[in-house]
Amino acid sequence: MTQTERVFADVAALARAAAEIVAETATRAVAARGRFMFVLAGGSTPRVLYELLAGEYADRVDWARTHIFFGDERCVDPDHKDSNYALANRTLLARVPLPPENVHRIESERGAALAAERYEDVLRRLFPGTPPAALFDLVLLGMGADGHTLSLFPGHDFDKDAGRWVIPATAPDAFAVKDRVTLTLDAVAGASRAMFLVAGADKGAALAAVRQARNDGGDGPPAARVKCRGEVLWLVDVGAAGKA
Ligand code: 6PG
């Protein structure tokens, strides 16, 4: 596994670079396996990327052969303002010719435990074998100011996740929606490529902690623990990189 960090002047430049990487990864995946298994990130940072993929880059991805997954979801209805699905649907999914059956939404409105079990079943059906020959082609990730990623927050007991790809989780009290469903690090570890999109000075301390862990081999915050089969790309803006 390799880790690469690139710093961009602003979110627009970061999103454009990310769109190129999505298009290139999609092309390679469809050529190699006839499908592109793409995990979307939650939060707000990916919005500009999703709009680019639905607009200028729409013809660079074979949507008919693309499957969409979610790295995590808040336990709210799919049309709720805090739903990761709602943002992705509004900015991307409803605007490109994806077969509806290829959008694998986390049904978090059913409650975290049941939704996690059902999503694990969906993934095990789509990625048979132990371990599966190949899992996701690309996992998009964000990082919170506390260094969380997906819905894996500081203090998470990662040992409890062994053998699971999807688990219920709880966000700290400071978060509006506490009940969550999230992929585990094991699910991401099977991916060919992971790509973080991190922007804003408020992420600076967390990114510094990730860099520290990368350099000294420590655990660091949850985002620092992400591994995958190929490369973990960090696309960050000057604000997060401390160069603003
Ligand atoms: C979530 C996310 C979470 C997010 C980070 C960054 O559901 O909240 O999956 O991991 O990616 O909190 O969020 P922003 O992009 O909004 O800063």
Side-chain angles (χ1 to χ4, degrees):
M1 181 196 87
T2 57
Q3 293 237 23
T4 309
E5 182 179 304
R6 294 169 60 189
V7 182
F8 297 87
D10 52 35
V11 175
L14 184 156
R16 183 165 295 278
E20 283 293 338
I21 292 164
V22 172
E24 180 254 328
T25 309
T27 302
R28 279 179 17 193
V30 169
R33 286 176 293 282
R35 65 185 193 177
F36 173 43
M37 309 302 261
F38 183 22
V39 181
L40 299 184
S44 56
T45 303
R47 178 195 189 97
V48 180
L49 167 60
Y50 295 162
E51 289 170 342
L52 267 180
L53 292 175
E56 192 177 327
Y57 282 77
D59 61 359
R60 296 278 306 277
V61 176
D62 185 344
W63 299 108
R65 289 181 177 79
T66 295
H67 286 255
I68 295 287
F69 304 87
F70 292 83
D72 68 329
E73 188 56 275
R74 296 86 180 268
C75 289
V76 293
D77 287 338
D79 59 356
H80 189 279
K81 67 177 176 63
D82 290 333
S83 162
N84 289 331
Y85 168 81
L87 173 68
N89 188 49
R90 192 169 55 248
T91 55
L92 174 57
L93 307 182
R95 299 172 56 193
V96 291
L98 270 163
E101 66 274 14
N102 285 14
V103 177
H104 307 285
R105 184 177 71 82
I106 299 175
E107 298 172 334
S108 57
E109 68 278 11
R110 293 171 174 268
L114 178 59
E117 275 177 41
R118 290 171 65 95
Y119 210 59
E120 179 106 17
D121 291 346
V122 168
L123 298 185
R124 296 287 176 176
R125 175 167 48 81
L126 284 166
F127 301 105
T130 307
L135 248 161
F136 306 114
D137 297 299
L138 178 60
V139 180
L140 287 186
L141 295 163
M143 182 178 70
D146 61 355
H148 82 263
T149 190
L150 300 164
S151 283
L152 302 171
F153 294 89
H156 182 81
D157 180 357
F158 290 96
D159 294 338
K160 280 194 339 187
D161 301 346
R164 297 287 303 274
W165 288 349
V166 192
I167 57 168
T170 305
D173 291 346
F175 289 79
V177 181
K178 294 170 189 53
D179 289 339
R180 312 278 188 105
V181 180
T182 184
L183 295 186
T184 62
L185 293 181
D186 277 0
V188 180
S192 301
R193 178 178 262 177
M195 176 159 69
F196 278 92
L197 310 179
V198 181
D202 64 319
K203 310 289 176 75
L207 185 60
V210 168
R211 286 168 165 170
Q212 178 73 39
R214 197 184 293 157
N215 295 333
D216 67 17
D219 283 336
R225 299 173 73 124
V226 166
K227 294 181 173 43
C228 71
R229 290 184 183 183
E231 60 179 343
V232 178
L233 287 163
W234 287 80
L235 306 190
V236 307
D237 77 344
V238 288
K243 295 190 167 74

